[in-house]
Amino acid sequence: MAAEKIFYTSKLVIVWQLLFATLQISGIDSNLNLPTNHLKYYFNSFPKVADECRNDPGCPYKSHLDTKACWGYESNCKTENAFSTPRCPGDHKGWVSSKKAQIDTFYSQGDFGYVRDQRKELTMLCEPLFLDDSSLECSEHMRFCRGRNIMINFTNLVNKKEPIRYKMDVLEEGQIGGHCRLYEQRLNDNTDQMSPLQSWGPELKNFRELPHRPIQHGDCDVIIKEPTYIMKIDAVVNMYHHFCDFLNLYASLHVNQSHPSSFSTENHIMVWESYSYRSAFQDTFSAFTSNPLWDLKTFRGKVVCFKNVVFPLLPRMIFGLFYNTPLVYGCEGSGLFTAFSEFILHRLHVPLYNRNNSKIRVTLLSRDTQYRRILNEDELVEALKKNSRYEVQKVVYNKMIPFKQQLEITRNSDIFIGIHGAGLTHFLFLPEWAVGFELYNCEDVNCYKDLARLKGVKYLTWENRSKLMEHDPETHPHNGAHAKFINYEFDVDEFLKIVKKAEKHVKNHDAFKKFIERRAEWQVKADERRPRSEEL
């Protein structure tokens, strides 16, 4: 079995080199558009592109060449060269037997080790024999799949009267397939997690071997030449759940990384439902594609052939990212989550501003909802404003504030405060020195604590239950009070004590100290450049 796995792994490399044979770039990719600190990892992943840059006098990336940098999932990546290494200062509480096992477990659960394992699991389910043949390969349980020259028959969609979302019967037997050697038993063995958002089993169980090449034989009404990502997405109204989609799409770029164009936006994204996509967070898709989104209405009634298609990691996989991530105790700082945050902020052009002082920027997120409101939030804000060391703002992240502006506020916050709710997904976009203060977790202890751990920011929450007051509006939808369906009032002194603890963490953080030092240097240089007349 091990020899068979090695044989198929070598086949995968060959197949995907063929897959992108028509996509070779000439010159350095002008659409590279990656965060500066990611460039060395990119060039080390693609030595031929690095050589091209090295020999091109006009290449602007020469300072990012000739390193040993690696993301962490490559087979030859040494720990000291990896994008990051998890920090595990805490007790693992019996999860594992050693500190090394604790670090390795965290890395596999929620870091680039997860990508590494998906790449290792890739197995050919439908094998090509010639260049123009189709291919299909997937990781275990069909969490991630990719294919070449794949036919999908959408003709039956014209007969479906109800809108399609979270359906497992979109395709019927034979409505997806390719001209390749199908390993039926292997295909069937991986359809063991049949749920709309857990695997691609509901769709790919219908994959069949076709008697001829669909594109050359003229079976296709539409041929898509650009790489296409087909996504089954979670609740688009909820930032926490929708960002599971985006995080998994980003992780899938790494799982799929086999060509220099892997991070290009010259692709297509199809949402696997018939509802027209609208979301307060839709700007995030522009980080991944420069084209309008497609959905199941786009090709209804058509037979479509995809030259290159990717079925990305899904938002509710068993032991997936990040909704169902089981995290070992005592660890923090996922490089994957940090890279995702940096990637999104860079692609959406969200700035980190210089400071004209060293005050701690405190942001309190207010809720304009029926439940989990902070009833005395104005009192808390006024108490904060009395401290001359703080710059304080209260914000409501709703449709009145565009999402990019929300990210801008978050990225420039040192302490971000809010009660339990999807808005705390903004923890993902805090600077590394920041503190995420979940004012009260409403008895959902690990949700945003784990998200903060994955991002690598300090997490604090309310601990003294005797110093908060619950106000039950008695309108709970299920006839009984629940911590998520009531409102709260918080003791001011206790609140300030926790914020002071957060302040201490920020001020002692090396990255914050360096940031403030750079601010001082910028100010000196600005003063030196200022005309003498301005000083008179």
Side-chain angles (χ1 to χ4, degrees):
M1 184 65 186
E4 182 188 18
K5 182 70 174 178
I6 293 171
F7 172 75
Y8 282 110
T9 300
S10 64
K11 285 260 188 179
L12 301 185
V13 175
I14 295 171
V15 166
W16 281 88
Q17 287 176 342
L18 296 176
L19 168 60
F20 286 110
T22 61
L23 295 176
Q24 294 298 322
I25 57 175
S26 58
I28 303 302
D29 187 355
S30 61
N31 294 318
L32 195 52
N33 193 17
L34 291 173
T36 301
N37 62 316
H38 291 197
L39 290 171
K40 61 183 178 181
Y41 304 98
Y42 172 84
F43 282 107
N44 209 39
S45 297
F46 301 106
K48 289 183 179 179
V49 180
D51 288 341
E52 194 172 351
C53 178
R54 193 176 293 109
N55 297 325
D56 181 356
C59 178
Y61 305 121
K62 292 185 184 293
S63 63
H64 305 286
L65 307 179
D66 302 316
T67 74
K68 297 180 180 180
C70 46
W71 292 106
Y73 49 76
E74 303 90 339
S75 59
N76 60 346
C77 182
K78 295 183 178 180
T79 301
E80 61 267 25
N81 301 324
F83 184 84
S84 69
T85 303
R87 305 182 298 274
C88 295
D91 183 8
H92 55 71
K93 299 184 180 181
W95 267 59
V96 289
S97 58
S98 67
K99 180 61 69 175
K100 182 180 183 303
Q102 182 186 19
I103 294 171
D104 291 345
T105 299
F106 182 87
Y107 197 67
S108 296
Q109 290 173 331
D111 207 329
F112 278 118
Y114 192 93
V115 172
R116 175 200 62 205
D117 294 345
Q118 295 299 311
R119 289 166 64 95
K120 283 183 177 180
E121 291 174 7
L122 283 170
T123 302
M124 193 67 71
L125 301 183
C126 201
E127 181 183 4
L129 300 179
F130 299 96
L131 177 61
D132 291 332
D133 284 354
S134 307
S135 67
L136 177 69
E137 56 181 321
C138 296
S139 62
E140 291 178 5
H141 315 293
M142 294 186 179
R143 293 189 180 110
F144 171 94
C145 299
R146 61 186 179 186
R148 177 168 66 96
N149 298 330
I150 300 297
M151 179 278 298
I152 303 182
N153 187 338
F154 295 111
T155 55
N156 279 4
L157 294 187
V158 297
N159 301 318
K160 292 185 181 290
K161 305 302 180 184
E162 295 183 1
I164 299 170
R165 175 178 286 165
Y166 310 143
K167 300 291 186 182
M168 297 202 295
D169 59 352
V170 176
L171 299 178
E172 298 176 4
E173 182 178 347
Q175 288 189 329
I176 181 170
H179 182 65
C180 43
R181 182 182 179 185
L182 180 63
Y183 298 99
E184 292 188 37
Q185 188 59 52
R186 196 177 297 164
L187 178 79
N188 294 332
D189 288 346
N190 281 281
T191 58
D192 57 335
Q193 295 181 0
M194 297 289 285
S195 181
L197 298 181
Q198 286 184 352
S199 84
W200 290 100
E203 292 74 34
L204 294 179
K205 71 176 183 179
N206 298 299
F207 192 96
R208 294 296 178 265
E209 180 178 330
L210 302 180
H212 45 250
R213 300 182 183 101
I215 295 176
Q216 285 80 354
H217 196 259
D219 296 340
C220 318
D221 297 314
V222 181
I223 299 173
I224 308 300
K225 296 180 180 180
E226 299 82 9
T228 301
Y229 293 81
I230 297 178
M231 295 181 67
K232 295 191 291 188
I233 60 177
D234 209 330
V236 301
V237 299
N238 182 291
M239 185 179 177
Y240 180 87
H241 290 295
H242 202 10
F243 266 79
C244 284
D245 301 318
F246 294 124
L247 186 281
N248 280 286
L249 179 56
Y250 177 73
S252 297
L253 299 183
H254 286 276
V255 177
N256 188 49
Q257 186 174 222
S258 54
H259 185 269
S261 65
S262 298
F263 292 104
S264 171
T265 58
E266 296 301 317
N267 55 38
H268 296 285
I269 294 177
M270 171 185 279
V271 178
W272 195 256
E273 57 185 49
S274 63
Y275 288 91
S276 296
Y277 173 80
R278 294 184 184 85
S279 172
F281 315 108
Q282 63 192 35
D283 286 346
T284 310
F285 269 116
S286 66
F288 297 96
T289 183
S290 56
N291 294 306
L293 297 183
W294 292 339
D295 58 35
L296 289 178
K297 299 191 302 298
T298 306
F299 300 114
R300 185 166 48 194
K302 304 288 186 181
V303 176
V304 183
C305 292
F306 297 90
K307 296 281 286 185
N308 310 305
V309 63
V310 176
F311 302 89
L313 297 166
L314 292 151
R316 298 207 179 202
M317 299 177 295
I318 297 174
F319 303 145
L321 301 168
F322 46 83
Y323 179 70
N324 285 320
T325 304
L327 278 183
V328 64
Y329 289 107
C331 294
E332 59 191 23
S334 162
L336 173 60
F337 278 72
T338 297
F340 167 70
S341 174
E342 293 171 347
F343 177 84
I344 295 297
L345 293 172
H346 174 81
R347 288 271 172 106
L348 297 187
H349 307 290
V350 178
L352 177 63
Y353 290 120
N354 298 337
R355 307 272 181 101
N356 57 12
N357 59 53
S358 58
K359 291 185 177 182
I360 303 296
R361 295 186 174 181
V362 182
T363 300
L364 188 142
L365 180 62
S366 178
R367 289 173 61 89
D368 59 353
T369 55
Q370 184 176 2
Y371 303 112
R372 277 175 279 153
R373 288 186 291 117
I374 306 168
L375 297 178
N376 64 328
E377 62 184 21
D378 289 338
E379 184 182 10
L380 300 180
V381 169
E382 288 304 312
L384 288 172
K385 287 182 176 180
K386 291 178 182 178
N387 191 322
S388 61
R389 299 189 303 276
Y390 301 157
E391 283 189 1
V392 183
Q393 61 181 332
K394 183 179 81 170
V395 297
V396 180
Y397 284 170
N398 57 22
K399 62 182 180 180
M400 302 304 294
I401 302 182
F403 183 59
K404 287 185 182 180
Q405 186 178 342
Q406 294 179 23
L407 291 178
E408 188 176 327
I409 294 169
T410 301
R411 189 181 189 189
N412 288 279
S413 299
D414 302 318
I415 302 173
F416 191 87
I417 305 170
I419 201 167
H420 183 87
L424 297 190
T425 310
H426 278 270
F427 284 178
L428 288 173
F429 302 104
L430 289 169
E432 60 180 306
W433 59 75
V435 174
F437 176 10
E438 183 175 20
L439 195 51
Y440 182 49
N441 59 39
C442 299
E443 300 177 12
D444 190 346
V445 176
N446 292 319
C447 182
Y448 295 104
K449 179 180 181 180
D450 284 352
L451 200 61
R453 283 209 287 148
L454 286 164
K455 176 55 174 67
V457 297
K458 178 73 172 178
Y459 172 86
L460 296 172
T461 191
W462 201 270
E463 296 180 355
N464 191 338
R465 289 287 301 273
S466 68
K467 294 191 176 183
L468 67 83
M469 292 181 60
E470 300 177 353
H471 295 263
D472 184 2
E474 299 182 354
T475 56
H476 184 263
H478 303 297
N479 300 319
H482 184 279
K484 292 186 179 181
F485 294 94
I486 55 181
N487 300 313
Y488 296 90
E489 185 175 347
F490 296 86
D491 180 85
V492 176
D493 291 336
E494 183 71 10
F495 171 76
L496 293 176
K497 185 172 72 173
I498 298 174
V499 173
K500 187 175 182 180
K501 185 177 180 181
E503 176 193 3
K504 181 179 180 181
H505 171 84
V506 172
K507 286 189 170 181
N508 289 334
H509 199 289
D510 288 340
F512 181 75
K513 291 177 182 178
K514 291 178 182 178
F515 180 68
I516 295 301
E517 287 172 5
R518 287 199 301 269
R519 178 200 66 80
E521 292 171 3
W522 292 328
Q523 187 61 51
V524 169
K525 290 179 181 179
D527 291 342
E528 291 174 349
R529 290 193 299 267
R530 185 184 303 146
R532 296 288 298 176
S533 58
E534 292 185 16
E535 299 176 5
L536 299 177

